[in-house]
Amino acid sequence: TLDVERAVDHWKAAGLDLAPILHQASAHGEFGQFEGQDLRNTKTQDHGLDKALDNELIEIAAAALEKGEPVRGQVEVRNVNRTVGTMLGHEVTKRYRGEGLPEGTIDLTLTGSAGQSFGAFLPPGVTLRLEGDANDYVGKGLSGGRLVIRPPEGSTFVAEEQVIAGNVIGYGATSGELFIRGRVGERFCVRNSGALAVVEGIGDHGCEYMTGGRVVVLGSTGRNFGAGMSGGIAYVYDADGSFDRRVNTGMVQIEPLDAVDTEFVRETVARHVELTDSDAGRRVLASWTIESGRFRKVMPTDYRRVLDVMEEAGRDGLDEHATLERVMEASRG
């Protein structure tokens, strides 16, 4: 039971009438609204997990879960199917812990429209390919798996001009990969701390509060890009030279790509083309000498300071302890 006497008797509570908060309603209710209701927890919730699409995915992936054998499969998905892949991921993690399965062990293709949180918390070894579209929170908490979203075969629209998934994609992702052929909504990769994500256009507040990972945007962005971004790196294709006006430079700076960056972006775009058949990516690669110069690198200012200090410490031959001390000194300004 809740002991409220000390709170009620405390001098700070003098003059406060807590009766409405602490009043114990009658089991029958003054107006009958509590008729038949218990005053304590006596019932469990039915979340309908027995009807979840993941049960079918788990059945398809049985050989991988039990023996680690590669499996492939294809199923239809509807927007009433939420958190698709999360129960499957739980089964992987329950058996193989944080290491998951080897890359590509479970490779499933889904066709249709996925509900919210498609591929949430997906662990290593699981690839979900969606041919269709998805709602918000794709890849929420992505934890080592791979998500690939593309329009269905035979689609006649220009993919990079159309929205294929919703808002807050890659929220809190810690590792893994996300390849999206098409545009998405707002707050792309908010709080991403380690995943690689490729997309062909985003709305406002991209990479907000990002702390790690890499993001490649093959199209335009909305306003307030990089707000609160303290780690990770974003590479944005700036076709018309307007990206500078959309960046929140409170914690980031825009840099040109060096040779390492250029090769990373080229390889990443090539993988995006391979996985999604992206026309936008293919055009960039076809004129790479010119198009590579249109990418802008968004680098957190403090992260850049730490990297520079570590590089300097390496040139000076400092050991790990001395390097850490120099980094800490630099981080204090």
Side-chain angles (χ1 to χ4, degrees), residues 53 56-57 60 73-77 108-112:
L53 181 63
E56 185 175 348
L57 303 185
I60 294 172
Q74 181 169 329
V75 298
E76 293 184 3
V77 63
L108 304 177
T109 299
L110 298 98
T111 58

Side-chain angles (χ1 to χ4, degrees), residues 6-319:
R6 291 182 60 189
V8 172
D9 294 338
H10 196 278
W11 64 268
K12 289 184 178 181
L16 294 178
D17 182 9
L18 302 179
I21 298 176
L22 304 176
H23 175 69
Q24 185 174 15
S26 167
H28 300 291
E30 288 84 347
F31 303 101
Q33 66 267 42
F34 300 117
E35 187 68 37
Q37 298 297 317
D38 297 317
L39 297 181
R40 56 190 177 87
N41 181 19
T42 59
K43 301 176 183 177
T44 58
Q45 291 181 319
D46 180 8
H47 296 286
L49 296 183
D50 58 317
K51 301 180 181 66
L53 181 63
D54 269 58
N55 292 302
E56 185 175 348
L57 303 185
I58 292 169
E59 185 177 342
I60 294 172
L65 294 173
E66 301 300 334
K67 305 175 184 177
E69 298 177 357
V71 296
R72 304 291 181 267
Q74 181 169 329
V75 298
E76 293 184 3
V77 63
R78 298 169 56 209
N79 60 9
V80 296
N81 303 128
R82 300 181 177 181
T83 64
V84 172
T86 305
M87 289 172 60
L88 171 62
H90 163 69
E91 293 298 328
V92 171
T93 303
K94 185 169 65 174
R95 291 168 170 79
Y96 300 97
R97 304 300 178 186
E99 293 76 15
L101 288 163
E103 181 178 334
T105 303
I106 300 174
D107 195 323
L108 304 177
T109 299
L110 298 98
T111 58
S113 296
Q116 291 200 354
S117 299
F118 175 74
F121 310 107
L122 205 67
V126 183
T127 296
L128 297 184
R129 306 174 190 267
L130 174 61
E131 296 182 3
D133 53 62
N135 280 268
D136 299 338
Y137 286 103
V138 170
K140 175 177 66 179
L142 185 66
S143 301
R146 179 185 297 128
L147 297 172
V148 180
I149 304 178
R150 53 164 296 168
E153 291 283 353
S155 298
T156 58
F157 54 80
V158 180
E160 64 264 30
E161 296 177 356
Q162 304 299 321
V163 174
I164 195 171
N167 300 308
V168 205
I169 291 173
Y171 174 80
T174 60
S175 57
E177 298 177 333
L178 178 59
F179 295 89
I180 301 176
R181 181 183 175 186
R183 299 184 60 83
V184 301
E186 299 184 354
R187 290 190 158 86
F188 182 74
C189 277
V190 171
R191 293 192 176 277
N192 175 30
S193 65
L196 168 66
V198 184
V199 68
E200 299 183 353
I202 63 175
D204 296 339
H205 317 298
C207 299
E208 190 176 34
Y209 306 125
M210 189 164 130
T211 62
R214 298 289 185 271
V215 168
V216 177
V217 183
L218 293 173
S220 64
T221 73
R223 60 189 177 87
N224 201 39
F225 188 95
M229 179 179 172
S230 61
I233 303 174
Y235 303 94
V236 179
Y237 180 71
D238 186 19
D240 59 6
S242 65
F243 179 62
D244 289 27
R245 299 194 299 271
R246 298 188 175 96
V247 181
N248 184 326
T249 56
M251 293 181 63
V252 302
Q253 59 194 38
I254 299 177
E255 302 178 356
L257 276 64
D258 60 22
V260 175
D261 295 319
T262 302
E263 182 60 19
F264 169 80
V265 174
R266 189 192 66 79
E267 292 179 354
T268 301
V269 174
R271 285 199 67 213
H272 180 65
V273 171
E274 177 185 356
L275 291 169
T276 69
D277 197 29
S278 168
D279 290 332
R282 191 176 286 109
R283 287 195 302 271
V284 168
L285 293 175
S287 302
W288 181 246
T289 302
I290 297 174
E291 301 295 348
S292 61
R294 292 179 174 154
F295 280 91
R296 312 299 300 279
K297 178 181 179 181
V298 180
M299 169 67 77
T301 307
D302 288 343
Y303 184 31
R304 163 55 64 200
R305 183 183 299 119
V306 168
L307 292 179
D308 289 344
V309 170
M310 292 179 66
E311 183 178 351
E312 178 185 337
R315 291 196 301 267
D316 293 345
L318 300 184
D319 59 21

